Structure formats: C-alpha cells, structure tokens
C-alpha cells in the first residue's frame, strides 16, 4: 500500500520561504510521477508542480514558476517542494500525490495516491 506523508508546512511572512517534504513508502517509485497540489478555502484543488521520479523532469504551474522548485531524493524516497518569495495567495493546504505513470500530469484525477496534506499560511 502506497503511503505519502507530507511535512514542513507552517506560518511564514510574505517574501519568506518554506520547504515541504513528502515521504513515500509501500512501492518502488522509479516509474512514477510525483506531484504537489494545493487547495485554498472555497477553491478547487490545483496543480503546483510535478517531477518524474526516474529522470527528474519537472513541470510547474505558471503561478509558481520561478519561485517554487520540486526535487526528489531517490535514496530517501522523498520529494521536496522548495517555496521562495511566498505570497499570501500561496496560502493553502498542500498535498503530495503519486501517479502510476511517468507522465507529468496536472489533473487531480490523473493521480492515484494522496497524502493527508500540510497547511501553509503566508501572512501579509
């Protein structure tokens, strides 16, 4: 059974940084795509970034391009989301997700496993 556990959320001032982690277990992830999504109150869950676990290819939402960086540590089975220059509109619950394919998908329905989420709050 695949398990994804996020950590690293918290409260930060605008302009600050946070680094989220997603620990993955229960499978060999070399042929997976790993994604980060977020959901703000009253809004739909939206794509943030994705990474191909095998070759490291990445994809980003336009809203975070140049500010966020997704990466992975194969030895630790962990995916990261480094978030810089945070803005109040980045406030949301951030979710880690896994897709049983190496395509860098952006739709929530294309992902098969989800973590429980971690809250990120950016104050102005």
């Amino acid at each position: 059974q695949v398990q994804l556990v996020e950590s690293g959320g918290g409260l930060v001032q605008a302009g600050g940084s946070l680094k989220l982690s997603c620990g993955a277990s229960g499978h060999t992830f070399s042929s997976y795509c790993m994604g980060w999504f977020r959901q703000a109150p009253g809004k739909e869950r939206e794509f943030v970034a994705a990474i191909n676990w095998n070759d490291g290819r990445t994809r980003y939402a336009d809203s975070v391009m140049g500010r966020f960086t997704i990466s992975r540590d194969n030895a630790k089975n962990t995916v990261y989301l480094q978030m810089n220059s945070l803005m109040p509109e980045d406030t949301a619950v951030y979710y880690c997700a896994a897709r049983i394919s190496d395509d860098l998908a952006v739709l929530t329905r294309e992902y098969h496993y989800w973590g429980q989420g971690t809250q990120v709050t950016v104050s102005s």
Side-chain angles (χ1 to χ4, degrees):
Q1 181 74 10
V2 172
Q3 287 191 319
L4 305 174
V5 180
E6 303 97 334
S7 61
L11 173 64
V12 64
Q13 287 188 332
S17 299
L18 279 176
K19 187 173 184 177
L20 306 183
S21 299
C22 172
S25 62
H27 203 273
T28 301
F29 295 94
S30 59
S31 60
Y32 277 47
C33 163
M34 303 297 294
W36 285 99
F37 288 75
R38 66 186 181 186
Q39 188 167 18
K43 295 187 177 181
E44 293 188 353
R45 194 170 297 188
E46 65 174 6
F47 171 76
V48 175
I51 187 166
N52 178 294
W53 197 287
N54 187 39
D55 62 17
R57 286 178 296 120
T58 59
R59 186 173 184 178
Y60 295 93
D62 289 345
S63 58
V64 306
M65 184 79 72
R67 299 189 298 123
F68 291 11
T69 302
I70 188 171
S71 62
R72 89 280 192 223
D73 184 328
N74 291 2
K76 295 182 179 180
N77 263 13
T78 301
V79 177
Y80 303 99
L81 185 68
Q82 176 67 48
M83 306 185 294
N84 299 329
S85 302
L86 282 161
M87 303 182 292
E89 48 264 49
D90 294 317
T91 295
V93 177
Y94 283 70
Y95 296 90
C96 176
R99 167 174 164 79
I100 310 173
S101 168
D102 59 3
D103 296 341
L104 298 178
V106 302
L107 300 177
T108 56
R109 65 173 183 265
E110 296 178 292
Y111 285 79
H112 302 89
Y113 302 101
W114 293 85
Q116 82 288 351
T118 185
Q119 176 71 46
V120 171
T121 303
V122 184
S123 63
S124 57

